[in-house]
Amino acid sequence: MDNKYRKQNLWSGFLFGMGFIAFVDEAVFHQLLQWHHFYDRETTRIGLISDGLFHAFSWFATIGGLFMFADLRRRNAVWMRRWWGGVWLGAGAFQLYDGIIQHKLMRLHQIRYVNNLLVYDVIWNLTGALMLVIGLVLVKQLQQGSQREGEPRKRERAST
Amino acid sequence: MNAHLHNFLFDPIVVAQWILAFPFLLGIFVYALAVLFSNRKYRRWPLLRTFFWLLGSVCSLVAVIGPLASKAYVDFFAHMIGHLLLGMLGPLLMALGAPLTLILRTLPIHLARRLTALLRKKLLRMISDPVVAALLNIGGLWILYMTNLYAMMHEYTILHVLIHLHVFLAGYVFTTAMIEIDPNPHRASYTYRMTVLVSALAAHCILSKYIYADPPQGVLRSEAERGGMLMFYGGDVVDALIILILCLQWYRASRPIKVVTASKSSNEM
């Protein structure tokens, strides 16, 4: 497989995964559960800027990632497991960034405004780390596997 | 009765509304006329484009004249609905109406040539650069809401008219700098446009949260909070449309060469 498409599969998945998890965060935790808010009064200015940038980027990434996937499809270059690896990586990376940098370092907002916040923080970041590990394992596995098998099998399936 | 009519006609708010509404009404008229003329000479102008132009004009009109426009003077939330219609949705829909393409094919050739020569002028080229367009658009909003300009806008009619014109024009220039609908002799690359779009989107998000946190002069906190949230999420919806169109255009432009030759004949139908 062309090196360019290997990367594109990973990037397409990564961008989509990141955008998707950001969307879940906003839809579930902001809107449905209302655990945290649109704006927290203690928010630092830098935190606000990084939040805005990330929101804009993930909004774009969700749509852009899917178009990259469509591009791979018409080139018969979809490598489904590699794409999923990218999705897990993107989702995990975003969750960890949100949980550690935005929540803790910049104190943009907390997951929930309760006493035993630590429990929420630990679960939040562990979930992020777990997703990141799943992604890493998937991608690593494929890198070793592809050296033996050469091309991904998806290519034959896609052409039928 | 007479005095009442007199007051009505010379009420600065009413005057401002009609001044702002006039270009859009004229736009609908000229567009319709151009469609009729060019349909006689060339193949039919797509109905969908006419519909987009009309819908975009109506969106913009709703923002500048009528009950919503009047309410926007006193209610920041109403103002923000107007801002989304006049600065984002209206320009996007009107751009989808491809007015320039229509005008170019309606005009006699020598006039059309002169118009394209005008469009190639340095100043226009500079304004339609994605970065400059984004600065005019989002930068203008930062100045409007973060200085006392917003409060002054309600005192001086002339300022009100100029700012609303700017919001529409900057929104239109920004939209057309991002997506390819009308011919543009100096279109920027996809990477450049996508990077600028993400940055502009981010600046819009940040500004809406600042409005939530630091209400513009003369705006109640509760109104600023509702308005800021509307700006944030409403902006997301319109931006998603622009992102979708931009990505779709990239998808079409970057199609593999083999597929291009295979589907060329069917594409030209």
Side-chain angles (χ1 to χ4, degrees), chain A residues 41 51 55 59 74-75, chain B residues 209 214 225 233 236 251 254:
Chain A
R41 299 259 166 251
D51 191 36
H55 176 80
W59 196 229
R74 70 177 169 189
R75 291 168 198 270
Chain B
K209 285 208 179 183
D214 281 313
E225 289 182 354
Y233 294 113
D236 269 3
Y251 180 73
S254 68

Side-chain angles (χ1 to χ4, degrees), chain B residues 53-68:
Chain B
W53 180 264
L54 197 65
L55 197 65
S57 302
V58 170
C59 283
S60 307
L61 279 168
V62 166
V64 295
I65 193 166
L68 182 75

